[in-house]
Amino acid sequence: MDKLETLWHSTGLFHLSGGQLIMLLVCLGLLWLAINKKFEPLLLLPIGFGGLLANIPVAGLAESAISQAMHFGSQDLLASMAQVLGMDADAGREALYKAAEGAGPAVQDQLHHLAQKANYGDGILYLIYTVGLMTGIFPLLIFMGVGAMTDFGPLLANPRTLLLGAAAQFGIFAALLGALALNFLGMEFSLADAAAIGIIGGADGPTSIYVTTKLAPELLGAIAVAAYSYMALVPIIQPPIIRALTTAKERTIKMEQLRPVSQTEKILFPILLLVLVALVLPDAAPLLGMFCLGNLMKESGVVSRLVDTTSNALINIVTIMLGLAVGAKLSAEQFLVMETLGILVLGLVAFMIGTATGVLMAKLLNRLSHHPVNPIIGAAGVSAVPMAARVANKVGLEANPHNFLLMHAMGPNVAGVIGSAVAAGVLLNFAG
Amino acid sequence: MDKLETLWHSTGLFHLSGGQLIMLLVCLGLLWLAINKKFEPLLLLPIGFGGLLANIPVAGLAESAISQAMHFGSQDLLASMAQVLGMDADAGREALYKAAEGAGPAVQDQLHHLAQKANYGDGILYLIYTVGLMTGIFPLLIFMGVGAMTDFGPLLANPRTLLLGAAAQFGIFAALLGALALNFLGMEFSLADAAAIGIIGGADGPTSIYVTTKLAPELLGAIAVAAYSYMALVPIIQPPIIRALTTAKERTIKMEQLRPVSQTEKILFPILLLVLVALVLPDAAPLLGMFCLGNLMKESGVVSRLVDTTSNALINIVTIMLGLAVGAKLSAEQFLVMETLGILVLGLVAFMIGTATGVLMAKLLNRLSHHPVNPIIGAAGVSAVPMAARVANKVGLEANPHNFLLMHAMGPNVAGVIGSAVAAGVLLNFAG
Amino acid sequence: MDKLETLWHSTGLFHLSGGQLIMLLVCLGLLWLAINKKFEPLLLLPIGFGGLLANIPVAGLAESAISQAMHFGSQDLLASMAQVLGMDADAGREALYKAAEGAGPAVQDQLHHLAQKANYGDGILYLIYTVGLMTGIFPLLIFMGVGAMTDFGPLLANPRTLLLGAAAQFGIFAALLGALALNFLGMEFSLADAAAIGIIGGADGPTSIYVTTKLAPELLGAIAVAAYSYMALVPIIQPPIIRALTTAKERTIKMEQLRPVSQTEKILFPILLLVLVALVLPDAAPLLGMFCLGNLMKESGVVSRLVDTTSNALINIVTIMLGLAVGAKLSAEQFLVMETLGILVLGLVAFMIGTATGVLMAKLLNRLSHHPVNPIIGAAGVSAVPMAARVANKVGLEANPHNFLLMHAMGPNVAGVIGSAVAAGVLLNFAG
Amino acid sequence: MNTLMAQGLELMLIGMGVVFSFLIILVAVTTLMSLLVKRFGQAPAVSAATTTAAPAGDMPSPAVIKAIEKAVRQHRQSQQ
Amino acid sequence: MNTLMAQGLELMLIGMGVVFSFLIILVAVTTLMSLLVKRFGQAPAVSAATTTAAPAGDMPSPAVIKAIEKAVRQHRQSQQ
Amino acid sequence: MNTLMAQGLELMLIGMGVVFSFLIILVAVTTLMSLLVKRFGQAPAVSAATTTAAPAGDMPSPAVIKAIEKAVRQHRQSQQ
Ligand code: NA
Ligand code: NA
Ligand code: NA
């Protein structure tokens, strides 16, 4: 009956911690939001499921081989790993693991070798995270796909709307300051942490994930969940703010019809944008570079088979993997902390402030220029493509049933993508 | 004319060993089965072709850079590698290679560095095998794709058929015992080897490959070939066993029509299954987790573009790579051994016993319950989706031309997938 | 205002070197060729864009973490890296970097660790290059896709045309000799360099890239650009050469209609080809092996879903990545050298000589055989599939408006693919 | 060798035990779930999700329908 | 803690400054580009590229049209 | 330098030799194969494989045909 006890000890129930139980429930909640509430299901479904997988006790799907060996290995294995670390085997599993995490590459190689010989392998989510997120390649490939699906036509027809996309990035920095202010309430956010939290206000999934992976990987789970949830909540968050900051009359402003944009302009724009990035803000080059590549491939019209794959098979594969990798960071010890609450609150604040500054900027433009700008479209400057543009259209139709703002709002909408990528470059440069 | 000799020495004929010649013929045979006999061509064609590539002399497509350098490198290179190993250069190439295989990571890094400087690189099949199979990621991605193509409807309409899928796993453990018994005939199977052989009886390609890679990688070639060949032979193997164990009257039993299953049930099932795995059998979590993810994506209906890619581009890419990687293990020294014969025999035995216990379980259910169960569908419990269900349907139609068992057999058929993944979890836990 | 200076120091303009500026212009030129002139846009667009990305100052997209840390790291970081190298920190950044490049794996691991701790990561193009090109896997996967799109029917109907594909490879070796001759003019090409340059004459993108990555990676940018540009220029390069070497009467020769080819022959051909490679020229096994795999999958007709993915999603994904990786090698210090001029000239020479020898071989065949061969189709032996065959057709129609040579030219056209892969095997074996 | 057989037998007992236990629990859980869904599940939120998601799969997209209509029109004109 | 807030404020100033500067430059560059394109851009080479590339996207391929015609024919015959 | 040229010449000789030898053998082997296939190849097994596999490529799937029929019907009703 020795094996029966082994059997019981090998169940998940025997090892299930309270934290894991709560995280399993949280992840079921994310799946419910994704499936029943249609909250950005393309990302939240894989994230939620990845979180479930990551919190299965003992299975170690989100753990390295070393971590699994350290936590569940035999005493012999532990002793030999302690020896490699030059430590006492009685130091305790957690102390040894901490030491292993801080060790240099040669020691880690040896520990990995020992773990593998004892049949512990890197968990699949850990591998996906390491290969795809720590290198930054997944968010960059998704950004390429997003570029291949973006139409800069409305922006080119009315380039002033780029300024709306600039103003809406104020939410990012407000949330950054807010995060630092929360330190007075006992939280512990570094400048890098605060920058990663602020970027939620960029309302751009891949940008948030890219920045967070570089600046504050331990916050990735909370930040990604907040970013995608608030993007899904844009239709609820934005309208009251828009209404509060505009008069009914302003909301009925009709805008001039957009001029047709030639293909030559559409081809030249991503190239110009990239050159500008190269000369001014190289830190934004990975994000905006891949974005421009996708867009140039689309607009050039000469590589349609590559565009088709980029915006279908490739982005879909990477989306699944990215979601799983983010889910791998939904561990109890990283998610069930006060800081997560702070992140959720600040993310919301960032969205709200970004919406507000976008609208106010539009009102300012209206004063300075003869061409009328309906301030509603300023809200679309946070990006959250194309949801925010649709919200702007809807709020506009409420004010005037014959006023279709959708195309006008697409300008600031894609400008917001550029704006937050630029902000991301600044944050990576100064808070990195 | 120095170069002419070099030229002759660089031909394959000069280096072709008897074992390689036989393996080339074996692989041509696999291609013939795949193309002319339509034996699971999606897997057997890449496996057979991978085997051809792996057995091309000198080319080293399935060899590491170190192995190629050790076997074909100059005397100087050999001497410097021997020095790294702290051995005498005269020890012989094989002895040095053995030592290299057992060396720690630091030494291997140095040897790899030396090999690369001498222009030896890892073979492409070796790379694919290392990246995709040793990590387990290929079979898991395929399982996700299979999940995205699986309909649990028939199973949910008649959950009792899960028990048929349980009973049919008996073949796995019978073959395991058989493998251990063959040790009395002079073979040398460890418990882990026996477990890997037994899993052929699970009639599930990705499960077999996943388990074998973890427990007995040197048997992978033989086990994968056996698993896919017998899956293709299901229409020949199963009918006589079904007929032998059932009366003509039993085979004409009509089953009640399956009730319609709501989408809510279909969405909840993969989640329930995963939670159960998490609590009871975490060792099965990687396999069943990815399977449930694929199924949940499909049934949720909110991520259809991800499902489309998962069940097309992604699974196709991985299938080619998986096949090539398995083919990389079809080397003479690992395949042309008595053990391979044992594996082929035991694989067949496992299929036969699984079929039999599935049918017998159905007869038992018939005694215990008022709802009639046609025992033919028990045979589908081995999985081999959807071939075994079609075979059940065909045998049923022979007995009664108006009795369509296909949908009824799909229940035990997919139950068999779950059953063998559960068995795989147990084997990985206890024989690993 | 400390930060403002940091800001200015972090712009690209501050760091932009003259070489980078020129390379940015060169890459814009490549994009212009790809988009406006339709020069092989599938490859030249990603290559050109990758080149833009690689030449963005400071961003380091094509640099390793170590390189970035060495070039832009703080003095402290530099000192600790110098210590690992056992050097003096005052040795200068370039000297330290040279030493790092030549260091063994253990030292490089430590340097990489230090760089990562200081927030320097491998650039995305560097990663793609390392994973996809240094391993050879990208060109091999593309070759598999090309195989899946190749029809050997015309070749099988008239196997003699294989000889045209053989003769046209003369351009490869002529360019090789030419490269060595340029050494007398002060360039410095090794035998391996010359071999990589010669292979441009093979008129096969993946073959060129595969060979160059193995033999002369520092020439990759120039060679890939030359190879794809000349392939696009085939309609301009070939006709005058064809006309110069043939009489008007020869150009009007009508060829016998091609016999129908059975599917069995088409299935057996890639297998035969692979077996021949295995026995005679294992060095060509990776290239021709993957090519034959793709073709066998297509002709077998039993794995059409794999063929579909191979010749669409997979080849498209790899094409983008391959292009970016090649673009990563378009750095000023490797491209803006006299050698690049030599490569461009020799590539053109190789194309011209290959065209000429193909035509002359066809004339020779015409003397030896009773079956008429229109010498125009000899030009298609350089490969450049299917452009060269179309050119042959067009030149043929000029001479005789009723003489359709397209299908006849497809034979030597695909023979040229085999021929240059064979030549590549020889070069890898003797110049490697 | 005999110990190995004993281990194998034990593994068979445990293995078939776990497989059956697991699948029996799954039968129970699944049946219970189906019952609960039947009683409570047709709540508006869920069924709405269900119905809006369903058509995606088997309706031809508007673009396809347009293409077809165009083709049909061309086809007719060519037959007149 | 206060230094951190100061750093944050500085980062906000720099960040919004860079974002606005960058996008204002982009407005200028884009406007200029559009002007130049309007004046010089409709050169034949470019517009040719534009027109030949365009149709690829929204025309059904010949194979699809063939398949549709076939289906239409079958459909009619089955209704006669 | 001269040795290098000599090596290059040798490589050219060997290279063109191998290319021609290989492709001449391939001509022979291919011709032989075609002859054998013509004589023995049309065995029932192979030709069956050939014919069953062929149609997969160019027939529209039943689902597509259904969708088309539906579209045609809708199209007609909308024109009545
Ligand atoms: Na944004
Ligand atoms: Na099974
Ligand atoms: Na060629």
Side-chain angles (χ1 to χ4, degrees):
Chain A
M1 294 307 89
D2 197 27
K3 288 249 164 159
L4 261 189
E5 201 180 317
T6 318
L7 199 64
W8 164 239
H9 283 194
S10 75
T11 64
L13 258 178
F14 176 79
H15 291 276
L16 187 69
S17 69
Q20 284 171 326
L21 182 62
I22 297 175
M23 286 312 296
L24 289 175
L25 295 173
V26 167
C27 293
L28 290 174
L30 290 177
L31 290 179
W32 180 80
L33 287 177
I35 296 172
N36 283 36
K37 294 292 169 196
K38 304 256 167 61
F39 269 35
E40 298 276 333
L42 292 174
L43 262 298
L44 279 192
L45 194 152
I47 290 177
F49 206 92
L52 282 186
L53 293 177
N55 284 287
I56 295 180
V58 205
L61 287 173
E63 301 294 322
S64 68
I66 294 176
S67 162
Q68 292 177 59
M70 288 277 186
H71 289 115
F72 300 108
S74 67
Q75 285 303 329
D76 281 3
L77 176 58
L78 213 62
S80 61
M81 294 180 97
Q83 199 187 345
V84 169
L85 286 163
M87 288 174 72
D88 195 40
D90 302 333
R93 291 173 183 269
E94 273 311 317
L96 287 170
Y97 181 57
K98 278 271 149 59
E101 274 188 311
V107 169
Q108 290 211 341
D109 279 359
Q110 281 182 62
L111 293 175
H112 185 81
H113 186 66
L114 287 173
Q116 270 196 317
K117 281 207 297 188
N119 256 321
Y120 292 97
D122 290 331
I124 183 174
L125 297 186
Y126 173 84
L127 282 171
I128 295 175
Y129 175 81
T130 309
V131 170
L133 278 194
M134 273 179 51
T135 59
I137 204 160
F138 283 169
L140 293 179
L141 288 178
I142 289 192
F143 229 49
M144 178 170 74
V146 171
M149 296 191 276
T150 295
D151 180 7
F152 281 120
L155 182 70
L156 287 164
N158 193 4
R160 286 179 311 152
T161 53
L162 276 165
L163 300 179
L164 304 176
Q169 308 313 320
F170 195 77
I172 292 177
F173 297 98
L176 186 158
L177 280 188
L180 296 177
L182 283 184
N183 284 347
F184 293 108
L185 299 177
M187 300 199 177
E188 289 189 22
F189 291 124
S190 68
L191 191 64
D193 294 346
I197 295 168
I199 203 73
I200 299 175
D204 242 309
T207 303
S208 297
I209 291 172
Y210 185 79
V211 168
T212 307
T213 319
K214 303 276 177 196
L215 294 182
E218 71 288 355
L219 302 181
L220 181 59
I223 288 179
V225 165
Y228 283 104
S229 301
Y230 292 132
M231 267 186 271
L233 286 173
V234 154
I236 294 168
I237 297 173
Q238 289 198 325
I241 300 170
I242 298 172
R243 288 192 205 105
L245 293 174
T246 52
T247 65
K249 203 182 142 203
E250 283 171 331
R251 292 201 293 279
T252 58
I253 292 177
K254 275 219 166 187
M255 294 180 69
E256 295 161 10
Q257 214 195 317
L258 294 173
R259 71 169 175 87
V261 172
S262 73
Q263 197 180 357
T264 313
E265 288 169 85
K266 289 189 178 180
I267 292 175
L268 288 176
F269 182 73
I271 296 176
L272 275 183
L273 177 52
L274 182 74
V275 170
L276 205 58
V277 166
L279 298 184
V280 177
L281 193 67
D283 289 286
L287 278 170
L288 282 175
M290 295 306 276
F291 187 70
C292 290
L293 170 57
N295 192 249
L296 178 64
M297 290 201 295
K298 174 187 165 231
E299 298 299 353
S300 73
V302 292
V303 290
S304 51
R305 58 179 294 164
L306 301 185
V307 174
D308 179 48
T309 296
T310 302
S311 55
N312 286 297
L314 182 56
I315 200 173
N316 290 344
I317 291 172
V318 176
T319 298
I320 297 172
M321 299 297 153
L322 177 82
L324 289 176
V326 168
K329 300 304 268 185
L330 286 174
S331 69
E333 64 197 62
Q334 290 183 346
F335 194 85
L336 296 180
V337 290
M338 282 305 292
E339 277 74 13
T340 297
L341 267 187
I343 289 169
L344 291 175
V345 170
L346 289 168
L348 183 59
V349 169
F351 262 67
M352 292 169 69
I353 293 182
T355 303
T357 49
V359 171
L360 293 175
M361 183 72 194
K363 292 176 75 164
L364 180 64
L365 275 188
N366 244 347
R367 300 237 173 137
L368 300 176
S369 147
H370 299 295
H371 305 282
V373 172
N374 189 315
I376 296 173
I377 70 167
V382 295
S383 46
V385 185
M387 186 78 90
R390 285 195 203 136
V391 167
N393 191 51
K394 201 167 149 249
V395 176
L397 286 176
E398 282 169 18
N400 173 354
H402 302 295
N403 199 4
F404 293 92
L405 294 172
L406 187 64
M407 290 317 284
H408 296 284
M410 287 309 295
N413 213 191
V414 297
V417 177
I418 300 173
S420 49
V422 169
V426 176
L427 296 177
L428 287 171
N429 190 16
F430 288 95
Chain B
M1 294 305 90
D2 199 26
K3 287 247 164 161
L4 260 190
E5 202 180 317
T6 317
L7 198 65
W8 164 239
H9 284 193
S10 74
T11 65
L13 258 177
F14 177 78
H15 290 277
L16 187 70
S17 70
Q20 284 171 327
L21 181 62
I22 297 175
M23 287 312 297
L24 288 175
L25 295 174
V26 166
C27 293
L28 289 175
L30 290 177
L31 289 180
W32 181 79
L33 287 177
I35 296 172
N36 283 36
K37 293 294 170 194
K38 306 255 167 62
F39 269 35
E40 299 276 334
L42 291 174
L43 262 299
L44 280 192
L45 194 152
I47 290 177
F49 206 91
L52 282 185
L53 293 177
N55 284 286
I56 295 179
V58 204
L61 288 173
E63 301 294 322
S64 68
I66 295 176
S67 162
Q68 292 176 60
M70 288 277 186
H71 289 115
F72 301 108
S74 67
Q75 286 301 328
D76 280 2
L77 177 58
L78 213 62
S80 61
M81 294 179 97
Q83 199 187 345
V84 169
L85 287 164
M87 289 174 71
D88 195 39
D90 302 332
R93 290 172 184 269
E94 273 311 316
L96 287 169
Y97 181 56
K98 279 270 148 62
E101 273 189 311
V107 169
Q108 291 212 340
D109 279 359
Q110 281 182 63
L111 293 176
H112 185 82
H113 186 67
L114 287 173
Q116 271 195 317
K117 281 207 296 187
N119 255 321
Y120 292 97
D122 290 331
I124 184 175
L125 297 186
Y126 174 84
L127 281 171
I128 296 175
Y129 176 82
T130 309
V131 169
L133 278 193
M134 272 180 51
T135 60
I137 206 162
F138 283 170
L140 292 178
L141 288 178
I142 289 191
F143 229 49
M144 179 169 74
V146 171
M149 295 190 276
T150 295
D151 180 8
F152 280 120
L155 182 70
L156 286 164
N158 193 4
R160 286 179 311 154
T161 53
L162 276 166
L163 300 179
L164 304 176
Q169 308 315 317
F170 196 77
I172 292 176
F173 298 98
L176 186 159
L177 280 187
L180 295 177
L182 283 185
N183 284 346
F184 293 109
L185 297 177
M187 301 199 177
E188 286 189 25
F189 291 125
S190 68
L191 193 63
D193 293 346
I197 295 169
I199 203 72
I200 299 175
D204 242 309
T207 303
S208 297
I209 291 171
Y210 185 79
V211 169
T212 307
T213 320
K214 303 277 177 194
L215 294 182
E218 72 287 356
L219 302 181
L220 181 59
I223 288 180
V225 165
Y228 284 103
S229 301
Y230 292 134
M231 268 186 270
L233 287 173
V234 153
I236 295 168
I237 298 172
Q238 289 198 325
I241 299 171
I242 298 172
R243 289 193 204 105
L245 292 174
T246 52
T247 64
K249 205 182 139 201
E250 283 171 331
R251 293 201 293 279
T252 58
I253 292 178
K254 275 221 165 185
M255 293 181 68
E256 297 161 9
Q257 215 196 316
L258 293 174
R259 71 170 176 87
V261 173
S262 73
Q263 197 180 358
T264 313
E265 288 169 87
K266 288 189 178 182
I267 292 175
L268 288 176
F269 182 74
I271 296 176
L272 275 183
L273 177 52
L274 181 73
V275 170
L276 205 58
V277 166
L279 298 183
V280 177
L281 193 67
D283 289 286
L287 277 170
L288 282 175
M290 295 306 275
F291 187 70
C292 290
L293 171 57
N295 193 249
L296 178 64
M297 290 201 295
K298 173 186 165 232
E299 298 299 353
S300 72
V302 293
V303 290
S304 51
R305 57 179 294 165
L306 301 186
V307 173
D308 179 47
T309 296
T310 303
S311 55
N312 286 297
L314 182 56
I315 199 173
N316 289 344
I317 292 172
V318 177
T319 298
I320 297 172
M321 299 296 153
L322 178 82
L324 289 176
V326 168
K329 300 304 267 186
L330 286 174
S331 69
E333 64 197 60
Q334 290 182 348
F335 194 84
L336 296 181
V337 290
M338 282 304 293
E339 277 72 12
T340 296
L341 267 188
I343 289 169
L344 291 175
V345 170
L346 289 168
L348 183 59
V349 169
F351 262 69
M352 291 170 69
I353 293 183
T355 303
T357 49
V359 171
L360 293 175
M361 185 71 193
K363 292 176 75 163
L364 180 64
L365 274 187
N366 244 349
R367 300 239 173 135
L368 299 176
S369 147
H370 299 295
H371 304 281
V373 172
N374 188 317
I376 296 173
I377 70 168
V382 294
S383 45
V385 186
M387 187 78 91
R390 284 195 203 138
V391 167
N393 190 50
K394 201 168 149 246
V395 176
L397 286 175
E398 282 168 20
N400 174 354
H402 302 293
N403 199 3
F404 293 91
L405 293 173
L406 187 63
M407 290 316 285
H408 296 285
M410 287 308 295
N413 212 192
V414 297
V417 177
I418 301 174
S420 50
V422 169
V426 176
L427 296 177
L428 287 171
N429 190 15
F430 288 96
Chain C
M1 292 306 89
D2 198 28
K3 288 248 165 162
L4 261 189
E5 201 181 317
T6 318
L7 199 64
W8 164 240
H9 284 194
S10 74
T11 64
L13 258 177
F14 176 78
H15 290 277
L16 187 69
S17 69
Q20 284 171 326
L21 182 62
I22 297 174
M23 286 313 296
L24 288 175
L25 295 174
V26 167
C27 293
L28 289 174
L30 290 177
L31 291 180
W32 180 80
L33 287 177
I35 297 173
N36 283 36
K37 294 293 170 194
K38 304 258 167 60
F39 269 33
E40 299 275 334
L42 292 175
L43 263 298
L44 279 192
L45 193 151
I47 290 177
F49 205 92
L52 283 186
L53 293 177
N55 283 288
I56 295 180
V58 205
L61 288 173
E63 300 295 322
S64 68
I66 295 176
S67 162
Q68 293 177 59
M70 288 277 187
H71 289 115
F72 301 109
S74 66
Q75 286 301 330
D76 280 4
L77 177 57
L78 213 62
S80 61
M81 293 180 96
Q83 199 187 345
V84 168
L85 286 164
M87 289 173 73
D88 194 40
D90 303 331
R93 291 174 183 269
E94 273 310 317
L96 287 169
Y97 181 56
K98 279 270 147 62
E101 273 189 311
V107 170
Q108 290 212 339
D109 279 359
Q110 281 182 61
L111 293 176
H112 185 82
H113 186 67
L114 286 173
Q116 270 196 317
K117 281 207 297 187
N119 257 321
Y120 292 97
D122 291 330
I124 185 174
L125 297 186
Y126 174 84
L127 281 172
I128 295 175
Y129 175 81
T130 310
V131 170
L133 278 193
M134 273 180 52
T135 60
I137 206 161
F138 283 169
L140 293 179
L141 288 179
I142 289 192
F143 229 49
M144 178 169 75
V146 172
M149 295 190 276
T150 296
D151 180 9
F152 281 120
L155 182 70
L156 287 164
N158 192 5
R160 284 179 312 152
T161 53
L162 276 165
L163 300 179
L164 304 176
Q169 307 316 317
F170 195 77
I172 293 177
F173 297 97
L176 186 159
L177 280 187
L180 296 178
L182 284 184
N183 284 347
F184 293 108
L185 299 177
M187 301 200 178
E188 289 189 22
F189 291 124
S190 69
L191 192 64
D193 294 345
I197 294 169
I199 203 73
I200 299 174
D204 241 310
T207 302
S208 296
I209 291 171
Y210 184 79
V211 169
T212 307
T213 320
K214 304 278 178 196
L215 294 183
E218 73 287 355
L219 301 181
L220 182 58
I223 288 180
V225 165
Y228 284 104
S229 301
Y230 292 133
M231 268 185 271
L233 287 173
V234 153
I236 294 168
I237 297 173
Q238 289 198 325
I241 300 171
I242 298 172
R243 288 192 205 105
L245 293 173
T246 53
T247 65
K249 204 183 141 201
E250 281 171 332
R251 292 202 293 278
T252 58
I253 293 178
K254 275 220 167 186
M255 293 180 69
E256 296 161 10
Q257 214 196 316
L258 293 174
R259 70 169 176 88
V261 172
S262 73
Q263 197 179 358
T264 313
E265 288 168 86
K266 290 189 177 179
I267 293 174
L268 288 176
F269 182 74
I271 298 176
L272 276 182
L273 177 53
L274 181 73
V275 170
L276 205 59
V277 166
L279 298 184
V280 177
L281 193 65
D283 289 286
L287 278 170
L288 282 174
M290 295 305 277
F291 187 69
C292 290
L293 171 58
N295 192 249
L296 179 64
M297 290 201 296
K298 173 188 165 232
E299 298 299 354
S300 72
V302 293
V303 291
S304 51
R305 59 179 293 164
L306 300 186
V307 174
D308 179 48
T309 296
T310 303
S311 54
N312 285 296
L314 183 55
I315 200 173
N316 289 344
I317 292 172
V318 177
T319 298
I320 297 172
M321 299 295 151
L322 177 83
L324 289 175
V326 169
K329 300 304 267 186
L330 286 174
S331 68
E333 64 197 61
Q334 290 183 346
F335 193 85
L336 296 181
V337 289
M338 282 304 294
E339 277 73 14
T340 297
L341 268 187
I343 290 170
L344 291 174
V345 170
L346 289 168
L348 182 60
V349 168
F351 263 68
M352 292 169 70
I353 293 184
T355 303
T357 50
V359 171
L360 293 174
M361 183 73 195
K363 292 177 77 164
L364 180 64
L365 273 188
N366 244 349
R367 300 235 174 139
L368 300 176
S369 146
H370 299 295
H371 305 280
V373 172
N374 189 315
I376 296 173
I377 70 168
V382 294
S383 44
V385 185
M387 188 77 91
R390 285 195 202 138
V391 167
N393 190 50
K394 201 168 149 248
V395 176
L397 286 175
E398 282 167 19
N400 173 355
H402 302 294
N403 198 5
F404 293 92
L405 293 174
L406 187 63
M407 291 315 286
H408 296 286
M410 287 308 296
N413 212 192
V414 296
V417 177
I418 300 174
S420 50
V422 169
V426 177
L427 296 177
L428 288 171
N429 190 16
F430 287 95
Chain D
M1 196 70 71
N2 261 353
T3 15
L4 206 56
M5 283 302 285
Q7 283 183 358
L9 268 170
E10 201 183 22
L11 190 47
M12 173 190 259
L13 286 175
I14 291 175
M16 285 310 291
V18 170
V19 169
F20 264 104
S21 317
F22 189 91
L23 292 189
I24 286 172
I25 301 175
L26 190 57
V27 172
V29 169
T30 305
T31 310
L32 185 70
M33 179 268 282
S34 288
L35 276 176
L36 291 176
V37 166
K38 247 175 250 164
R39 187 160 305 176
F40 307 106
Q42 296 316 61
V46 173
S47 68
T50 310
T51 37
T52 53
D58 56 25
M59 275 280 292
S61 79
V64 168
I65 292 186
K66 245 189 194 166
I68 290 169
E69 286 183 0
K70 196 169 164 186
V72 170
R73 224 173 307 127
Q74 289 176 348
H75 176 71
R76 285 199 177 161
Q77 288 172 350
S78 69
Q79 289 194 327
Q80 281 170 356
Chain E
M1 196 70 71
N2 261 355
T3 16
L4 208 55
M5 283 301 286
Q7 284 182 358
L9 269 169
E10 201 183 23
L11 190 48
M12 174 190 259
L13 287 176
I14 291 174
M16 285 311 290
V18 171
V19 168
F20 265 103
S21 319
F22 189 91
L23 292 189
I24 287 171
I25 301 174
L26 192 57
V27 172
V29 170
T30 305
T31 310
L32 184 70
M33 179 268 284
S34 289
L35 276 176
L36 291 175
V37 167
K38 246 175 251 166
R39 187 159 307 176
F40 308 106
Q42 297 314 63
V46 173
S47 68
T50 310
T51 37
T52 52
D58 57 25
M59 275 282 291
S61 78
V64 167
I65 292 185
K66 243 189 195 165
I68 289 169
E69 287 183 359
K70 196 169 162 185
V72 171
R73 224 174 305 127
Q74 288 176 350
H75 176 68
R76 285 198 178 161
Q77 286 172 351
S78 69
Q79 288 195 330
Q80 284 171 353
Chain F
M1 196 71 69
N2 262 353
T3 14
L4 208 55
M5 283 303 285
Q7 283 183 0
L9 269 169
E10 201 184 23
L11 190 47
M12 174 191 259
L13 287 176
I14 291 175
M16 285 311 289
V18 170
V19 169
F20 264 103
S21 318
F22 188 92
L23 292 188
I24 287 171
I25 301 175
L26 191 57
V27 171
V29 170
T30 304
T31 310
L32 184 70
M33 181 267 283
S34 288
L35 276 176
L36 291 175
V37 167
K38 247 176 250 165
R39 188 162 305 176
F40 308 106
Q42 297 313 64
V46 173
S47 68
T50 309
T51 38
T52 51
D58 56 25
M59 274 281 291
S61 78
V64 168
I65 292 186
K66 245 190 192 163
I68 289 169
E69 287 183 0
K70 198 168 161 185
V72 170
R73 225 174 304 128
Q74 289 176 350
H75 177 69
R76 284 196 179 164
Q77 287 172 352
S78 70
Q79 288 195 328
Q80 282 171 355

